[in-house]
Amino acid sequence: MTLQQEPSVTGRPLVIVGHGVCLDACAAAWRDAQPDRRIDAIALETPDGFNRNLDPLRAYPHESWQAFAILPGTGINMARLKLMMDLKMIGYKLDSFVSSRAMAPSAWRPPENSFVSDGAVIGHSVLTKYNLFVGPRCVIGHGAKLGHSVWLDTGALVGAGVTIGDNVLIGQSAILADGITIGRHCELMVAGHYRESVDEKTFYNPMFPNPVRIYGSRTKS
Amino acid sequence: MPVISDLRFPASAAGHSTMRALLSRPHYVDPDIFRREQVRIFGDLWIFAGLTNFVAESDQFLTRRIGGRSIVVQNFEGTPRAFENVCSHRSKVLQTGRFGRHPLVCGYHGWRYANDGAVATIPFASECYRLDPAERAALRLREFALCRIGKLLFVNLSESPRSIDDQFYPELLREIESASNAFDDEIMVTTVAGRYNWKLAYENLRDSLHPKFVHTRSLNLDVEFYDGVAAEPVADAREDGRVDLRDLSFGGAEGGFRRPRPLPFHARVARWGTEDAYFNWLLYPNTHMVCPDGGYSFSIEHHEPLGVDSTELTLFFATARRDPNFAGTDAVLWEYAKGAKTILDEDQAIMEEAQAGLDASSSAVVQGHFELQNRITDRWYLGQLQ
């Protein structure tokens, strides 16, 4: 385990696109870490709550700019995943960020379009995929396996050997017990200790007193 | 059917009307009346039990409480059947959980039931039970009538169940059959408990005026409900003094959109119908189906009375049948559920406050002209309780 002293620097300017407070927060962290790099942040309008108007990116040709997509983690990260895919379709090379105040094994490399915040700790033998967001002071235990588009909110603790599926939101201060499995397309937004595995397409949210679950032909009983 | 002596909506020559509600405080707070409802209403009518999606394959089951009884709808090799969900041996509930896939076998001593409710196998029967063969042959679960309308399953606990056509008009049955057949296979489900009598939920749903006051920052921003107030005084019973049970259930397009909002998923599902309208269907006594966006998505609210002032609401959400390559229904359903919950919370707060008022006061309730449908419903209800 080493302190990540060298955030990724490619030399190319970076355009951070998205929406909301997290856009500003990511841009601020990136500028603080890489003061000599040109870093622009632009908020993209959405006509329908899902697709983003990419017209402002015409001023940032993909041949000379890198990009990073960040949106609030609502809608099980589907909108952020869509934005990331749109950027790749245009031809952008996507950058990632690891705070110098985060800790991770020296061999670990952040996957595409990922962000690791201050105070986060990533254990040994952790497997991660693209579009990852690790909030401040999160801990990912040794041997955990994370799918793509996983969002760990501030202070989330992922136990050793935990498996998390694709498009999963783990809320503030949620604690996942060692070895459990969180199925794909879940939101665990109620702070607390999750001691048992969670079926795919299950939603814990303070708006709902009981879990919300999707059943169907593609869901196991 | 009850014979009603007070036949007509009381209206003055000037067309003004004021009337005392037919139901009074005890109908919302008296446990004895609640127990009578369980038998006379929920033990007599067709009650929504769930969706065929949950019992589509062999050994899949769903459970409900209807009229205070635990009911299981179990698929036996392709055929769903409804039984009392209680083992004949030690009265343990057979299937646990709301939905699942498991043969109809008791987890206590392994008694297994056949598709007619008879006990098929008893482990260690000869060694440990030594039951009289005739007595054993007579052991069987009580079966209930089950009816499928589109993807909606209804159960009737009565030993001589009425025809479902006696409870719902054919046009209504055709419409809910058509709409529910448009549901996708993926269904989102959750439950919400509330401290109110179940009847308050339906009085609220039949109240076309309340969105202007209760949902000012949610539903009322999006939907312009059509005027539900009849221009002329209307009879609240038929000429012969009877209320037709079928008049208690109704629905269809009830409003237009103030600000149409086409969403990306609309292009990925097979829309039901073509009318740009907000659809509501009320299925007496305790089911409410909604299509809030002109045929792209649906929800069902099912209110299960747990006690005189305690109701559990089960919520089902579905999109219209989706393009098989569309992977975004989970996010769509989740966002839909959160939006709907905002509206439900507004309603639930009002109902709980109304229940608190009923608990604390004996003053009579006044109904206005626009609440005629509630009055008609109350007439049938009172006759049924007699």
Side-chain angles (χ1 to χ4, degrees):
Chain A
M1 184 74 69
T2 59
L3 195 64
Q4 289 275 318
Q5 296 290 355
E6 299 295 333
S8 59
V9 178
T10 64
R12 280 197 202 179
L14 175 70
V15 57
I16 303 176
V17 297
H19 173 72
V21 200
C22 53
L23 172 66
D24 300 329
C26 286
W30 224 307
R31 287 175 183 134
D32 185 46
Q34 301 174 10
D36 297 332
R37 188 181 187 191
R38 180 173 172 190
I39 296 171
D40 286 8
I42 54 173
L44 298 178
E45 297 296 319
T46 174
D48 53 24
F50 183 66
N51 295 294
R52 298 276 154 183
N53 177 9
L54 301 176
D55 288 348
L57 285 174
R58 287 182 184 151
Y60 302 91
H62 66 85
E63 295 85 355
S64 51
W65 286 76
Q66 280 193 280
F68 178 75
I70 184 73
L71 287 170
T74 54
I76 50 174
N77 274 325
M78 284 288 189
R80 185 181 175 214
L81 179 61
K82 172 69 165 52
L83 178 57
M84 173 195 156
M85 292 302 180
D86 286 346
L87 295 176
K88 284 175 71 75
M89 289 287 285
I90 292 171
Y92 283 106
K93 180 173 168 46
L94 302 179
D95 204 354
S96 290
F97 176 84
V98 180
S99 166
S100 61
R101 289 181 284 275
M103 294 184 76
S106 53
W108 183 79
R109 290 288 175 271
E112 192 175 35
N113 203 60
S114 294
F115 192 97
V116 179
S117 308
D118 290 357
V121 177
I122 296 174
H124 289 291
S125 306
V126 168
L127 299 179
T128 51
K129 290 186 179 174
Y130 54 87
N131 215 27
L132 171 69
F133 181 89
V134 181
R137 300 183 301 285
C138 288
V139 176
I140 305 177
H142 302 314
K145 297 175 187 168
L146 279 59
H148 70 72
S149 305
V150 169
W151 181 291
L152 304 177
D153 221 327
T154 305
L157 303 180
V158 177
V162 166
T163 300
I164 301 178
D166 300 334
N167 288 96
V168 169
L169 263 65
I170 308 294
Q172 280 188 25
S173 305
I175 301 169
L176 309 186
D178 290 354
I180 67 171
T181 297
I182 310 299
R184 69 193 175 113
H185 295 195
C186 286
E187 279 193 18
L188 311 184
M189 300 301 282
V190 176
H193 198 162
Y194 294 82
R195 299 169 194 275
E196 296 182 356
S197 294
V198 176
D199 285 325
E200 64 177 6
K201 305 180 182 185
T202 302
F203 302 80
Y204 290 81
N205 187 288
M207 281 185 78
F208 291 85
N210 297 310
V212 181
R213 176 144 182 234
I214 295 175
Y215 297 83
S217 57
R218 294 183 299 177
T219 306
K220 67 177 190 280
S221 296
Chain B
M1 295 290 286
V3 177
I4 307 298
S5 55
D6 175 15
L7 297 183
R8 291 192 170 275
F9 190 107
S12 70
H16 298 145
S17 59
T18 299
M19 53 189 177
R20 297 286 181 206
L22 296 172
L23 301 194
S24 54
R25 180 176 175 275
H27 294 103
Y28 303 91
V29 302
D30 185 340
D32 288 337
I33 290 181
F34 178 80
R35 283 191 283 274
R36 276 163 60 198
E37 286 176 352
Q38 292 283 291
V39 176
R40 303 276 178 86
I41 307 286
F42 294 94
D44 184 65
L45 297 181
W46 288 97
I47 305 295
F48 173 70
L51 295 166
T52 56
N53 304 49
F54 300 106
V55 289
E57 296 173 13
S58 192
D59 287 337
Q60 281 192 311
F61 69 86
L62 63 87
T63 63
R64 293 296 294 148
R65 284 192 74 79
I66 299 176
R69 294 166 178 240
S70 178
I71 309 297
V72 57
V73 178
Q74 175 93 24
N75 185 312
F76 293 91
E77 296 176 347
T79 306
R81 306 184 76 153
F83 295 102
E84 189 148 32
N85 186 30
V86 177
C87 183
S88 301
H89 178 213
R90 297 295 301 276
S91 298
K92 179 192 172 300
V93 165
L94 286 166
Q95 298 288 30
T96 55
R98 289 292 303 277
F99 313 104
R101 185 170 199 159
H102 189 265
L104 196 53
V105 177
C106 182
Y108 199 174
H109 297 92
W111 286 35
R112 183 185 188 103
Y113 291 88
N115 63 2
D116 60 353
V119 180
T121 56
I122 302 176
F124 309 109
S126 55
E127 302 94 318
C128 301
Y129 291 89
R130 302 179 189 179
L131 298 175
D132 175 78
E135 279 187 24
R136 172 175 168 167
L139 288 172
R140 66 182 55 231
L141 303 175
R142 187 174 165 202
E143 184 169 7
F144 301 110
L146 180 68
C147 181
R148 171 182 175 162
I149 304 294
K151 288 192 173 178
L152 276 56
L153 290 168
F154 293 84
V155 169
N156 191 308
L157 303 189
S158 171
E159 291 188 357
S160 50
R162 65 178 77 228
S163 164
I164 200 160
D165 295 329
D166 292 341
Q167 188 169 332
F168 305 114
Y169 282 115
E171 307 83 61
L172 178 62
L173 288 175
R174 278 196 293 274
E175 195 163 55
I176 62 172
E177 178 180 20
S178 166
S180 64
N181 277 334
F183 290 6
D184 189 53
D185 291 337
E186 290 198 318
I187 308 287
M188 176 174 267
V189 185
T190 192
T191 57
V192 181
R195 301 295 300 173
Y196 56 89
N197 184 280
W198 67 276
K199 294 188 290 298
L200 289 175
Y202 288 85
E203 290 168 8
N204 183 61
L205 287 165
R206 288 188 288 263
D207 173 353
S208 58
L209 201 53
H210 85 278
K212 291 181 170 63
F213 300 92
V214 177
H215 304 306
T216 52
R217 284 183 286 184
S218 56
L219 186 61
N220 202 55
L221 293 176
D222 293 322
V223 181
E224 172 81 54
F225 284 99
Y226 306 144
D227 187 357
V229 183
E232 298 297 327
V234 183
D236 66 353
R238 292 172 187 273
E239 291 301 320
D240 61 0
R242 295 172 185 273
V243 176
D244 191 323
L245 169 60
R246 296 174 299 178
D247 286 335
L248 277 50
S249 301
F250 54 92
E254 291 198 348
F257 303 122
R258 296 184 198 273
R259 45 177 190 183
R261 284 193 305 173
L263 296 173
F265 84 93
H266 290 177
R268 307 299 300 272
V269 300
R271 182 185 187 186
W272 172 74
T274 56
E275 191 174 355
D276 290 326
Y278 185 98
F279 291 85
N280 259 329
W281 296 273
L282 287 179
L283 307 176
Y284 190 80
N286 62 339
T287 304
H288 176 217
M289 191 162 100
V290 181
C291 173
D293 53 8
Y296 297 105
S297 58
F298 304 87
S299 64
I300 294 176
E301 301 166 13
H302 179 61
H303 295 79
E304 181 186 328
L306 300 179
V308 69
D309 62 351
S310 172
T311 299
E312 182 178 80
L313 169 62
T314 303
L315 296 163
F316 301 82
F317 299 96
T319 63
R321 191 169 295 281
R322 71 188 185 286
D323 170 347
N325 296 319
F326 178 45
T329 44
D330 303 341
V332 169
L333 288 173
W334 182 223
E335 294 306 312
Y336 176 19
K338 286 191 282 188
K341 183 63 167 43
T342 301
I343 298 167
L344 289 167
D345 284 347
E346 292 166 350
D347 282 324
Q348 183 149 321
I350 291 291
M351 292 185 290
E352 292 187 336
E353 288 163 9
Q355 183 72 41
L358 287 160
D359 286 341
S361 164
S362 60
S363 58
V365 176
V366 171
Q367 286 175 322
H369 197 146
F370 76 101
E371 292 166 298
L372 178 63
Q373 189 65 43
N374 280 337
R375 192 169 180 83
I376 292 170
T377 304
D378 295 346
R379 281 195 182 282
W380 186 90
Y381 165 91
L382 288 172
Q384 186 74 0
L385 282 199
Q386 284 171 6

